[in-house]
């Protein structure tokens, strides 16, 4: 496993090897299918009888029966719909991994779609599959109950208890009441990309990947069906292999798909929907309360919404301080959840600035050597003192570490930001799980120590940018 915390393992090949560590979930952009499925099924219900028959194809689960009454309160009229992608190999999906045909389904694609009343805002919130979270007890497929976990990888919730367990986990984490869920499989995704006449993408280089079967030249393309599926499943030829890079690319794809549907009139043309709905609904599973009347409510709320109002963000997160190969929520997560919960504008990203909020002279730093290089902590300490920091050497870190980490004790979160901005690459600060000291920032120097920035260089804040559906797919972030 790659030691870089932003690099994750993916399984996207049609027939993956038998290594169990590489047989975890789909990297298909399932939530693209799901989000558009909700809109497509909900829109233009002129032929009520026909749509009623078609909607009978959808598999449904009783969410309330599975979760009980211990759930967050509903605070307003906004709708929160959890979008999940299932990697089931049942039926026609079996050709995307014959060796996984008997495995339990997984879902590594989790998007919370937040719809404000009257189309004020529509936002898709991505949850990284490697996010470490507390997990409540869940009802399992055999009728039992799983044990609660204080720390678990979020994508394991679907395997433990299906969609209801994912709902319970995200509700517990965010205190946002989730009204409905929708999950889709591979074939639903392909159907939707065809229905909108293809989705525009932009490749930075030629790709010829035999594993995903993606073969496209550099530049702009409009793709659908199997090619679109290969594009979103590809892990070898596109991006840097990191979870962050993958999510950004998927968000751009979903934005382009939504823009295509809105601009081509697919959502308002009953003729274009007729052939689509029969196929798509056979690929969907929803909660039992997502009825025709609810879908009409969603459609009415989104009438006239431009694609520029549809945006995609990633839940505030960064490298896990306990395991650099995983992801953890940052301090910005709870204010973000509160804004969504109350249907308020989400907190604006911190503007770029060359001046840290807390000067280096007020930051106490304790340096630990995890690089395995003798004297490295002392050398780093001298470099930081030259920048004005108050520095002491804490000794050796437990075990050799590759990544450099910035950990902070109680009340030192802003101090940690100042230190991080002084280091090349600006490592994401994280709260110290144990052993921290109030007001002190601990710097764990890894073998890949990037060095301290020269004092003359500005210290911009690295933030996660949003993606809007009407953006040019060739636009660089």
């Amino acid at each position: 496993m790659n030691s870089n915390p932003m690099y994750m393992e993916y399984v996207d090949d049609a027939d993956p090897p038998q290594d169990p560590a590489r047989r975890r979930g789909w990297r298909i952009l399932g939530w693209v299918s799901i989000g558009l499925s909700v809109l497509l099924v909900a829109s233009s219900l002129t032929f009520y009888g026909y749509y009623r028959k078609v909607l009978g194809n959808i598999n449904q689960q009783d969410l309330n029966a599975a979760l009980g009454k211990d759930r967050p309160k509903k605070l307003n009229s906004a709708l929160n719909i959890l979008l999940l992608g299932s990697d089931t190999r049942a039926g026609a999906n079996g050709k995307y991994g014959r060796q996984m045909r008997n495995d339990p389904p997984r879902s590594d694609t989790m998007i919370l779609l937040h719809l404000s009343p009257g189309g004020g805002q529509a936002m898709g919130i991505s949850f990284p599959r490697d996010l470490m979270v507390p997990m409540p007890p869940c009802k399992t497929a055999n009728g039992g109950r799983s044990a609660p976990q204080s720390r678990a990888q979020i994508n394991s919730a679907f395997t433990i208890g299906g969609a209801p367990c994912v709902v319970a986990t995200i509700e517990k984490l965010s205190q946002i009441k989730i009204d409905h869920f929708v999950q889709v499989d591979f074939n639903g995704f392909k159907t939707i990309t065809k229905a909108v006449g293809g989705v525009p993408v932009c490749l930075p280089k030629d790709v010829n990947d035999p594993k995903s079967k993606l073969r496209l030249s550099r530049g702009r393309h409009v793709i659908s069906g199997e090619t679109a599926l290969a594009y979103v499943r590809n892990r070898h030829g596109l991006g840097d292999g990191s979870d962050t890079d993958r999510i950004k690319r998927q968000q751009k794809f979903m934005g382009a798909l939504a823009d295509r549907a809105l601009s081509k009139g697919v959502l308002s043309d009953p003729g274009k929907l007729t052939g689509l709905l029969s196929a798509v609904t056979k690929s969907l599973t929803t909660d039992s309360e997502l009825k025709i009347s609810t879908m009409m409510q969603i459609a009415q709320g989104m009438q006239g919404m431009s694609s520029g109002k549809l945006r995609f963000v990633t839940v505030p997160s960064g490298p896990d301080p306990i395991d650099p190969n995983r992801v953890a929520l940052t301090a910005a997560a709870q204010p973000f959840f509160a804004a969504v919960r109350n249907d308020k504008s989400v907190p604006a990203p911190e503007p770029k600035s060359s001046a840290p909020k807390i000067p280096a002279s007020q930051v106490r730093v304790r340096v630990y050597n995890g690089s395995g290089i003798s004297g490295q902590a002392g050398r780093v300490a001298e470099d930081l003192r030259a920048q004005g920091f108050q520095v002491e050497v804490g000794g050796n870190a437990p075990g050799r570490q590759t990544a450099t980490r910035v950990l902070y004790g109680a009340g030192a979160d802003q101090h940690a930001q100042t230190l991080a901005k002084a280091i090349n690459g600006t490592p994401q600060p994280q709260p110290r799980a144990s052993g921290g000291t109030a007001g002190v920032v601990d710097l764990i120097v890894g073998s890949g120590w990037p060095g301290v920035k020269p004092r003359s260089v500005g210290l911009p804040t690295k933030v996660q940018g949003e993606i809007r559906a009407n953006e040019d797919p060739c636009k660089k972030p």
Side-chain angles (χ1 to χ4, degrees):
M1 181 175 290
N2 195 311
S3 60
N4 187 322
M6 297 314 293
Y7 282 74
M8 312 300 173
E9 294 178 337
Y10 293 93
V11 179
D12 297 321
D13 306 328
D15 286 300
Q18 287 295 323
D19 181 0
R22 297 181 55 166
R23 297 174 59 193
R24 296 179 301 180
W26 65 322
R27 299 298 167 268
I28 178 178
L29 190 57
W31 45 270
V32 172
S33 308
I34 304 163
L36 267 295
S37 295
V38 172
L39 300 180
L40 291 168
V41 173
S43 299
S44 190
L45 298 180
T46 306
F47 304 108
Y48 183 88
Y50 169 75
Y51 289 103
R52 186 178 182 86
K53 177 182 177 181
V54 168
L55 292 174
N57 294 332
I58 301 176
N59 294 317
Q60 293 194 315
Q61 296 180 14
D62 190 336
L63 193 58
N64 289 326
L67 299 184
K69 296 181 179 181
D70 185 18
R71 302 180 64 188
K73 292 182 179 180
K74 181 73 174 174
L75 301 180
N76 45 59
S77 299
L79 278 175
N80 296 301
I81 305 172
L82 182 62
L83 314 176
L84 299 169
S86 170
D87 76 344
T88 178
R89 263 56 178 192
N93 295 290
K95 70 178 183 178
Y96 299 108
R98 291 182 295 275
Q99 295 171 349
M100 301 173 68
R101 189 168 295 175
N102 296 321
D103 286 4
R106 286 161 291 254
S107 178
D108 290 337
T109 300
M110 292 155 282
I111 294 292
L112 184 60
L113 182 63
H114 177 78
L115 304 174
S116 294
Q121 68 172 332
M123 180 168 58
I125 305 165
S126 301
F127 287 80
R129 71 164 187 116
D130 291 297
L131 185 67
M132 302 304 294
V133 298
M135 192 173 296
C138 294
K139 185 177 180 180
T140 60
N142 61 11
R145 298 283 291 179
S146 65
Q149 302 180 62
S150 60
R151 175 179 162 84
Q153 194 166 311
I154 194 169
N155 70 336
S156 66
F158 190 86
T159 303
I160 292 172
C165 190
V166 185
V167 171
T169 299
I170 293 180
E171 285 191 341
K172 189 77 172 179
L173 186 69
S174 66
Q175 288 302 301
I176 297 171
K177 174 67 179 293
I178 296 177
D179 301 287
H180 305 288
F181 80 85
V182 183
Q183 69 183 59
V184 74
D185 62 23
F186 297 139
N187 285 298
F189 166 80
K190 293 191 299 181
T191 301
I192 290 177
T193 60
K194 291 178 181 177
V196 300
V199 179
V201 298
C202 188
L203 276 70
K205 62 180 181 179
D206 294 345
V207 177
N208 186 0
D209 179 22
K211 294 195 174 183
S212 66
K213 298 181 175 59
L214 180 65
R215 296 177 178 85
L216 288 173
S217 60
R218 175 185 177 185
R220 294 177 182 268
H221 297 272
V222 176
I223 60 176
S224 64
E226 292 288 351
T227 302
L229 182 60
Y231 175 83
V232 298
R233 297 181 76 211
N234 179 274
R235 70 184 177 95
H236 297 286
L238 293 171
D240 60 12
S242 71
D243 202 22
T244 302
D245 184 86
R246 176 66 65 91
I247 286 174
K248 285 295 182 186
R249 180 159 56 89
Q250 292 179 345
Q251 288 174 337
K252 279 194 173 184
F253 189 95
M254 184 172 184
L257 175 55
D259 184 62
R260 194 82 167 179
L262 292 168
S263 64
K264 294 293 184 180
V266 175
L267 304 184
S268 59
D269 186 339
K272 293 181 180 180
L273 287 174
T274 300
L276 169 69
L277 289 179
S278 293
V280 171
T281 53
K282 292 175 183 177
S283 301
L284 296 182
T285 300
T286 74
D287 62 285
S288 55
E289 292 191 353
L290 189 55
K291 303 181 185 300
I292 294 178
S293 58
T294 308
M295 292 183 179
M296 291 181 68
Q297 178 187 356
I298 295 172
Q300 291 167 357
M302 299 192 75
Q303 283 180 0
M305 187 190 77
S306 66
S307 58
K309 288 186 178 181
L310 177 59
R311 54 185 176 148
F312 305 97
V313 300
T314 303
V315 65
S317 54
D320 181 10
I322 299 176
D323 181 354
N325 294 303
R326 296 292 175 260
V327 180
L329 295 178
T330 63
Q334 290 307 321
F336 175 86
F337 288 144
V340 175
R341 189 165 58 239
N342 291 284
D343 194 37
K344 303 294 184 182
S345 297
V346 297
E350 182 181 350
K352 293 185 177 181
S353 172
S354 59
K357 292 182 179 179
I358 297 178
S361 61
Q362 296 180 19
V363 179
R364 296 168 56 198
V365 182
R366 190 163 48 194
V367 181
Y368 292 90
N369 188 1
S371 68
I373 303 171
S374 178
Q376 182 74 316
R379 288 186 287 272
V380 172
E382 285 301 317
D383 290 341
L384 291 175
R385 289 191 187 103
Q387 296 276 9
F389 291 91
Q390 303 178 43
V391 187
E392 65 177 284
V393 176
N396 291 325
R400 185 170 178 175
Q401 302 185 35
T402 302
T404 292
R405 295 187 290 161
V406 176
L407 309 176
Y408 56 87
D413 53 336
Q414 294 299 320
H415 302 72
Q417 291 286 349
T418 298
L419 175 61
K421 292 174 184 178
I423 299 171
N424 287 320
T426 315
Q428 177 66 48
Q430 296 291 330
R432 182 116 191 183
S434 61
T437 302
V440 175
V441 183
D442 291 336
L443 175 63
I444 314 298
V445 179
S447 59
W449 168 244
V452 176
K453 295 176 181 177
R455 298 191 70 173
S456 60
V457 177
L459 306 175
T461 301
K462 185 178 181 181
V463 299
Q464 289 179 318
E466 69 182 28
I467 291 175
R468 291 187 180 266
N470 62 346
E471 288 183 356
D472 185 336
C474 285
K475 175 185 175 182
K476 293 184 178 181

